[in-house]
Amino acid sequence: SLRSGEFSSRPFLVWRMADKLHVIGPKGEKRLKGASISFPIVLGTVAISLGKKATETATHSWTVYARSPQDQNLGAVVKKVTFKLHESFPTPFRDVKAPPFELQETGWGEFDLLIELHFHDDVQEPPLELLHSLRLGLDVHGNPQRRPYVHEIYHEIVFWEPTAELANRVKLAQSNPAPVSSVAQYFGRFDPDADYQLVQAGRKRLAKHYAMLKAKLATMEQDGLPGVRAPTMDREASLFPSNA
């Protein structure tokens, strides 16, 4: 089985693995008992204004893609990606059957894309549907910006008790780099460990600021200023534990 939206700090992380222990899946396939594999993926769009070449129906050139945040080859696990465009496009369902999994189009408006990941048959998992919004980077007046506008979202899929074949495919993906994307120069950098440290540092600064404010209010209360009462710490203590 698989789930979307969970988080880990390393690419294709095998969380738990029990040697030579298997369970039999619903189709008779062997699955690794007690094991789980994290599968990080980035969905994104890059929109570029056509400037003077724009028309009423084509103001931007844009590319939608599914990629690995660590430049690993998704093709080792993903067999095909189906991009469902707005119904106003001819043949709105577009299949990309080899990496890089990306599609280029032109248009004038923003809309939500349905992106369906199809895994290789021996993975023994159903297709997974994810949503991603195409954004053109327009200002409040509807004018385009000069630079390419990038919108990326990090996802993490977890395969619980994966097939042995999937585990082998993950190893293959780790050793094979991804094919070069036509929009690779615009890709963002995803570093969960660094992001976590930034969040922790922000929490510590906020806790320190709150403590200073509380001490200041307590001093004002002692001085007998009317209408001043120091806040309680019951709720905040649970938000900022001493070892945070």
Side-chain angles (χ1 to χ4, degrees):
S1 62
L2 74 166
R3 294 170 288 173
S4 176
E6 300 199 18
F7 183 84
S8 72
S9 60
R10 287 177 287 170
F12 296 116
L13 175 64
V14 179
W15 283 341
R16 296 178 297 276
M17 185 68 72
D19 294 338
K20 300 181 181 179
L21 294 179
H22 297 86
V23 292
I24 303 302
K27 297 182 180 179
E29 74 278 10
K30 288 185 177 181
R31 292 181 174 270
L32 302 177
K33 184 178 181 180
S36 56
I37 295 178
S38 168
F39 183 76
I41 190 169
V42 173
L43 303 181
T45 52
V46 176
I48 302 175
S49 172
L50 295 177
K52 295 181 179 180
K53 297 181 180 180
T55 66
E56 289 186 0
T57 58
T59 61
H60 288 75
S61 170
W62 53 263
T63 302
V64 57
Y65 52 85
R67 69 176 181 89
S68 163
Q70 287 83 19
D71 296 327
Q72 295 172 328
N73 193 345
L74 293 185
V77 177
V78 178
K79 177 176 65 174
K80 178 180 72 174
V81 175
T82 300
F83 297 98
K84 183 181 183 300
L85 311 184
H86 190 271
E87 60 185 10
S88 61
F89 283 86
T91 58
F93 287 91
R94 311 284 181 90
D95 290 336
V96 179
K97 299 181 179 180
F101 295 110
E102 59 188 36
L103 176 71
Q104 186 174 5
E105 259 292 355
T106 57
W108 59 270
E110 299 179 336
F111 58 92
D112 289 336
L113 293 136
L114 180 65
I115 301 176
E116 191 172 59
L117 307 178
H118 299 260
F119 304 105
H120 286 284
D121 295 341
D122 55 13
V123 174
Q124 296 282 350
E125 296 291 352
L128 178 65
E129 293 184 347
L130 298 170
L131 284 175
H132 189 79
S133 297
L134 169 64
R135 297 180 182 175
L136 303 181
L138 307 177
D139 64 19
V140 294
H141 302 291
N143 299 316
Q145 61 181 25
R146 295 182 179 180
R147 297 181 178 180
Y149 188 83
V150 182
H151 177 221
E152 292 190 321
I153 300 294
Y154 178 98
H155 298 266
E156 197 155 309
I157 305 165
V158 176
F159 294 92
W160 171 246
E161 294 193 337
T163 61
E165 289 79 9
L166 173 57
N168 292 332
R169 286 186 174 279
V170 165
K171 293 178 182 178
L172 180 63
Q174 291 176 326
S175 60
N176 291 340
V180 178
S181 167
S182 63
V183 290
Q185 60 182 315
Y186 307 119
F187 288 169
R189 178 174 175 270
F190 290 87
D191 188 341
D193 288 333
D195 292 343
Y196 176 78
Q197 295 301 325
L198 288 174
V199 171
Q200 290 297 92
R203 292 180 72 247
K204 289 181 179 179
R205 289 195 300 269
L206 183 59
K208 182 178 179 180
H209 177 75
Y210 181 86
M212 293 174 58
L213 180 60
K214 181 177 181 293
K216 184 177 180 180
L217 290 175
T219 301
M220 295 171 66
E221 184 182 38
Q222 291 176 359
D223 292 340
L225 295 179
V228 176
R229 186 178 65 180
T232 62
M233 279 294 290
D234 293 343
R235 173 172 169 76
E236 299 301 329
S238 65
L239 295 176
F240 304 105
S242 58
N243 60 350

